[in-house]
Structure formats: C-alpha cells, structure tokens
Amino acid sequence: MLYPPSQETLRKRFFIPAPNDAPPTGVDLYARFAFAGAVCCAITHGAMTPVDVVKTRIQLEPERYNQGMIAGFRKVAAEEGAGALLTGFGPTAAGYFLQGAFKFGGYEFWKKTFIDMVGVDKASDNRTAIYLGASAIAEFFADVALCPLEATRIRLVSQPDFATGLVSGFTRLLREEGVIRGFYSGFGPILFKQVPYTMAKFVVYERASETILRSMKTPKDQLAPSTMTMVNLGAGIIAGTAAAIISQPADTLLSKINKQKGVEGQSITSRLVSMAGKLGAHGLFLGLGPRIVMVATLTAGQFAIYGDIKRMLGATTGIEIAKVEK
C-alpha cells in the first residue's frame, strides 16, 4: 500500500514556514503546488494500477474479459500470476508524477493569471469559465509530459512480453518506433481524453466543494484539517465520477491505438475514425464500470492528499473565488 509522505519527511526536504513567517509566494509557492500535485497523482494512479490493468484488458480483449471487473482480476491472476496486476506500475507512477506536477501546479498558475487579468470580483462571477480555462491549458502541457510514459504503460499491459519494466519498455519503444509513432501516436486521443476529463474534474470539484462548504455552519477557515480532508474526498468522488463518464470514449480509443503499430502511411486521425466506427457506442464505453470505480477513487484521493500536502508545506495562499460566505 502506498502512503503520502509524512510531515516529518516533508519538513526534512522542504522549508515549512512557522506561523509568524511570511507565506510562500511566486515560484516558491507554485513549486509547492506542483510537488503536492506530483505526489498525489503518483500515489493514487500507482495504487490503482491493478484496476487499470483489468480495465485495459476489458477494453482491448472484450471477448476474453467479458464477465466484469472482479472476474477480470481473477482471470489475470489465475493465468499470469498476481504480479501481472502490477504490470505498468513503473511508467504509471513516473508518468503521473510528471503529469500531476504540470496539472495541479499549472492549474493554480493559470487560475491566478486569469484572476489577475479580470479582477477578483469578475472572476468570482465567472468562476466556472476560469476553472475550465485554467484546467484545459494546464492539462495540455501535462499531457506532453505524460504521453510517452502512458504509451509505454499501455504497451506493457497489452503485450506482457514486450519488456520487463519501465526502462526496457521505454527504450524499446523509442528504438523500434521512434518519438512520434512510438510515444506520441496517442497524443491526439490523450488530449481528447484528458483535457475534457480534467476540465470536468476541476470544475465539478470546485463547485461540489463550494456547495458542501456553503451547507456547513462553520466558515472554511475555521474548519478542522480532518473536516477539510473529508470535504475534499466527497467533492473528489463526485468530480471523478463525472470526469470518468465524459472521457471514457477517448480512453478506449487511447488503449486501442497504443496496443499495436498502425499501418504504414495511415494517419492517426484515420486510425481513430476507423476504430470508433468499428467499436460503436457500446464498444467505446467498454470498461466504464471499472473506470468509474478507479477514477472516482483516485480523484477523491488526489484532492485529499493534495490539500493535506499543501497545508503541510504552507502553500495555502492561493486566491479563493468560490462564493461560500455565510
């Protein structure tokens, strides 16, 4: 089981301001946001690797994995050993560490940038647009970092004999197929999947947490840390469920396109259109149940861990534009 770093560990590696110290600002503040995002994504995605393995198998081999998630776990473990459920753990943890830094750190940066551009009052009145715009831009850059490692992960899961781990799989993919075809053939679908996913994830989380906080009698700044963790968990479950449903078709296409090489000369767009046509609406939503379980769980965990690490690092000075006044 993976756990977030202890406060003692964080204190050894990072300066945590005492109550009377000036709070972090500028690069120092956003570096802390990025670190918190990197850790929360690496932990949650790494911990959900077994679910992701089964979900990917259901998408890629529906004729064999057609009896649900629990049966899928049993089938993989029986045929390949329990260790197969951790296939792709290395690229998953490494890829989402990078992606989380860009996603969460970038979201905080672009949100602040947009707020400065229009002013706090106007930003508060148009906060949904602020959340959507900031998350979309942040996710684009996060996906540039994630895509090579996600391609490696999917190849390891779909072809267990392709390589023995992250380094060997990454190296073989680069050597045999190159940067564009090997690592970025799925960049279009990963954007198509991740950008709407992240937009839904952040805007639903922000609005859900706003609603939860507004319903409570105690102001946010007076809530106990444990209460805020529970708020983050609840809002994260709601956000993760919505994000999973919205991004499911693109997730299926991403798994398909990274399973094997494309035909020489065939464009990525034509491959995606052809795959979508063959799969149909039903095929595009294969594995939705396991994915909702996975995404809702990891999203709740991400926001809870992210909030806790930000608090431990003293990175609590971001601008609030949610309307939760009593």
Side-chain angles (χ1 to χ4, degrees), residues 104-149:
F104 282 86
Y107 175 70
E108 300 281 6
F109 172 80
W110 288 107
K111 184 169 71 170
K112 175 67 162 55
T113 299
F114 290 142
I115 292 169
D116 289 343
M117 288 172 60
V118 303
V120 175
D121 291 338
K122 190 173 182 180
S124 183
D125 291 337
N126 297 278
R127 56 195 181 281
T128 296
I130 298 289
Y131 301 148
L132 290 172
S135 58
I137 297 172
E139 185 59 41
F140 175 84
F141 291 105
D143 289 342
V144 173
L146 172 65
C147 201
L149 290 159

Side-chain angles (χ1 to χ4, degrees), residues 15 134 146 154 161 163 177 216 251:
F15 169 72
L146 172 65
I154 292 175
D161 59 349
E177 300 181 35
M216 303 176 77
D251 183 69

Side-chain angles (χ1 to χ4, degrees), residues 13-264:
R13 290 175 169 78
F14 294 87
F15 169 72
I16 301 178
N20 295 326
D21 290 332
T25 58
V27 174
D28 184 19
L29 176 62
Y30 291 107
R32 297 178 193 219
F33 287 147
F35 177 77
V39 172
C40 78
C41 285
I43 289 173
T44 52
H45 280 277
M48 295 303 291
T49 296
V51 177
D52 206 25
V53 167
V54 175
K55 182 266 300 180
T56 302
R57 295 291 177 87
I58 291 172
Q59 290 174 325
L60 297 179
E61 301 179 75
E63 67 283 353
R64 295 186 63 219
Y65 296 89
N66 55 13
Q67 297 181 341
M69 183 169 64
I70 301 302
F73 276 109
R74 291 172 178 167
K75 188 176 184 65
V76 171
E79 295 183 355
E80 304 172 43
L85 291 169
L86 291 177
T87 302
F89 174 81
T92 296
Y96 282 96
F97 184 91
L98 288 174
Q99 194 237 22
F102 282 97
K103 176 187 288 189
F104 282 86
Y107 175 70
E108 300 281 6
F109 172 80
W110 288 107
K111 184 169 71 170
K112 175 67 162 55
T113 299
F114 290 142
I115 292 169
D116 289 343
M117 288 172 60
V118 303
V120 175
D121 291 338
K122 190 173 182 180
S124 183
D125 291 337
N126 297 278
R127 56 195 181 281
T128 296
I130 298 289
Y131 301 148
L132 290 172
S135 58
I137 297 172
E139 185 59 41
F140 175 84
F141 291 105
D143 289 342
V144 173
L146 172 65
C147 201
L149 290 159
E150 180 69 354
T152 304
R153 180 196 71 81
I154 292 175
R155 188 61 64 88
L156 291 174
V157 171
S158 61
Q159 299 178 22
D161 59 349
F162 182 76
T164 57
L166 168 59
V167 175
S168 59
F170 188 95
T171 303
R172 181 178 173 184
L173 202 57
L174 176 63
R175 182 179 66 251
E176 294 184 359
E177 300 181 35
V179 173
I180 301 301
R181 290 185 61 205
F183 292 150
Y184 286 97
S185 63
F187 188 60
I190 208 173
L191 284 179
F192 181 51
K193 164 194 166 185
Q194 288 292 134
V195 172
Y197 162 82
T198 298
M199 293 170 73
K201 171 179 171 176
F202 276 103
V203 75
V204 174
Y205 165 78
E206 295 276 16
R207 298 309 292 254
S209 59
E210 178 181 333
T211 300
I212 294 170
L213 290 168
R214 191 185 294 129
S215 70
M216 303 176 77
K217 295 180 179 180
T218 306
K220 180 180 178 181
D221 58 3
Q222 296 177 26
L223 291 174
S226 59
T227 302
M228 278 307 305
T229 298
M230 294 306 298
V231 171
N232 290 334
L233 283 170
I237 289 172
I238 297 169
T241 300
I245 295 170
I246 288 171
S247 61
Q248 176 65 19
D251 183 69
T252 300
L253 290 175
L254 180 64
S255 295
K256 292 286 187 182
I257 203 168
N258 278 315
K259 182 180 180 181
Q260 58 189 19
K261 300 178 182 179
V263 176
E264 191 69 34

